[in-house]
Amino acid sequence: MRVDLLLPGLLWPHDDGADVMRAPEATTLERWLARGTTVPEPELRVAEWLWNRFTNTDAPDPATGTPGASSARDLPIAPVTFALDGGRPGARYWMRADPVHFIVTRTGLRLAPEHALDLSDEEAAALAATIGAHFADAPRFALHAPNARRWYLGADTPFDLATTAPSIAQGGDVDHGLPQGAHRLEWVAFLNEVQMLWFEHPVNLAREQRGEPVASSLWLHGPGRLPPPGKPRHTHTAGGDGLLAALAALTDRPHRTTD
C-alpha cells in the first residue's frame, strides 16, 4: 500500500536546524521517513499541491500567475468548499467571504490568523442576517453562510478579481490583501459597509465584553467556478483542513478527519 504524507513546515528553514530539531522525538514519523522517499516541493504551497492532484485545472505558476486562478496568490476554491458545506455550485461563480478579525496596531490593521475568530453558529447567523438585510436589493451577488467560518457570495457573472488567500495574508497589512481588479473599488466599498454594520453589532458588543476577538469584516478570496475533477491516485484521504476534505469530495474519495 502506498501512502503519501504531506507535511508542511517539517523542515526547519534556517541554518540552526540541527540544534532546534535535536530535542523533539517522533519515532513513528522517523520510521516512516526512513522507509519512504522524501520529495521536497518548496515552490508550491499546500493548497497548490493538493489542487494539482485533485482537479483537472492546474494551479497557477508562482512566477506568471497562469494557468488556473486569477492570480498567483489564490486558487478558485470557493465553489469546491461550498459543495462540501452542502451547497450546489452549479455553473455559477462563487467567492469566499469569510468573517475575520483585524488586529489594530499603531501602523494600521493586520489580519488575524484564520482560527482566531471562533464564531458560534448563532453568532454567525446573526451577523450574516444583518448583511443579507442591508444588501437585500443588491443584484450582483447573494450571500450564503452555511458554515460559521466559511461564507460565500454567488453570482451569475465572473467577479474579475485577484484575491489573496487568508493563509498568505494573515499577519500582514490588511490593505495589501484587499481584492485587486476592475471592480476593486466596488468591493472595497462593500467591505467598508460591512465593517460599519458590524462595528456596534450586538454579537460584537457581547464578544467584546467577554474579551473575545470581534468580527471585523469579511475576507474575499478564492473566486471562480467549480473545476472539473481530476483523477488522483489516492483512494482515501485523511487529515488536513477543509480544502482537502472538499477536494476529496469533488473526486468521490472517502475522507476521514483527524481532529
Side-chain angles (χ1 to χ4, degrees), residues 99-102 117 119 127 194-195 198-199 203-204 207 212-217:
V100 291
H101 174 64
F102 294 157
L117 182 65
L119 295 174
L127 291 168
V194 171
Q195 283 184 259
W198 285 359
F199 183 68
V203 167
N204 275 339
R207 292 181 66 87
E212 299 174 351
V214 300
S216 303
S217 187

Side-chain angles (χ1 to χ4, degrees), residues 11-234:
L11 301 179
W12 186 255
H14 307 295
D15 295 336
D16 57 348
D19 295 328
V20 172
M21 302 301 292
R22 180 174 298 165
E25 294 184 3
T27 55
T28 300
L29 177 59
E30 290 173 2
R31 185 166 63 251
W32 286 0
L33 292 177
R35 294 177 180 178
T37 302
T38 304
V39 183
E41 295 197 45
E43 295 83 6
L44 293 178
R45 292 184 290 122
V46 172
E48 293 165 342
W49 192 93
L50 293 172
W51 189 267
N52 288 343
R53 283 158 179 77
F54 285 86
T55 76
N56 200 24
T57 304
D58 289 341
D61 180 87
T64 64
T66 57
S70 56
S71 84
R73 299 177 297 175
D74 207 3
L75 293 166
I77 68 169
V80 180
T81 58
F82 184 52
L84 176 71
D85 289 330
R88 297 183 178 181
R92 300 192 81 196
Y93 294 87
W94 297 92
M95 180 162 59
R96 288 274 290 270
D98 301 340
V100 291
H101 174 64
F102 294 157
I103 301 171
V104 181
T105 69
R106 289 184 297 175
T107 58
L109 300 176
R110 297 192 176 277
L111 180 63
E114 294 180 70
H115 299 293
L117 182 65
D118 189 17
L119 295 174
S120 68
D121 291 340
E122 293 75 14
E123 289 174 326
L127 291 168
T130 299
I131 295 177
H134 185 78
F135 294 97
D137 297 328
R140 180 164 169 74
F141 62 83
L143 177 69
H144 300 260
N147 183 290
R149 288 179 175 170
R150 296 189 293 267
W151 295 11
Y152 303 87
L153 298 175
D156 293 323
T157 57
F159 291 99
D160 291 329
L161 288 176
T163 57
T164 304
S167 59
I168 295 177
Q170 68 181 26
D173 191 312
V174 167
D175 287 342
H176 295 163
L178 292 177
Q180 302 293 322
H183 300 286
R184 177 183 182 277
L185 294 180
E186 173 187 345
W187 286 106
V188 170
F190 164 72
L191 295 175
N192 288 338
E193 281 200 64
V194 171
Q195 283 184 259
M196 290 186 288
L197 286 173
W198 285 359
F199 183 68
E200 292 188 341
H201 194 283
V203 167
N204 275 339
L205 294 178
R207 292 181 66 87
E208 197 169 25
Q209 283 188 335
R210 297 193 300 267
E212 299 174 351
V214 300
S216 303
S217 187
L218 299 175
W219 193 264
L220 305 181
H221 66 107
R225 287 199 293 186
L226 190 68
K231 296 180 178 180
R233 64 188 179 203
H234 312 90

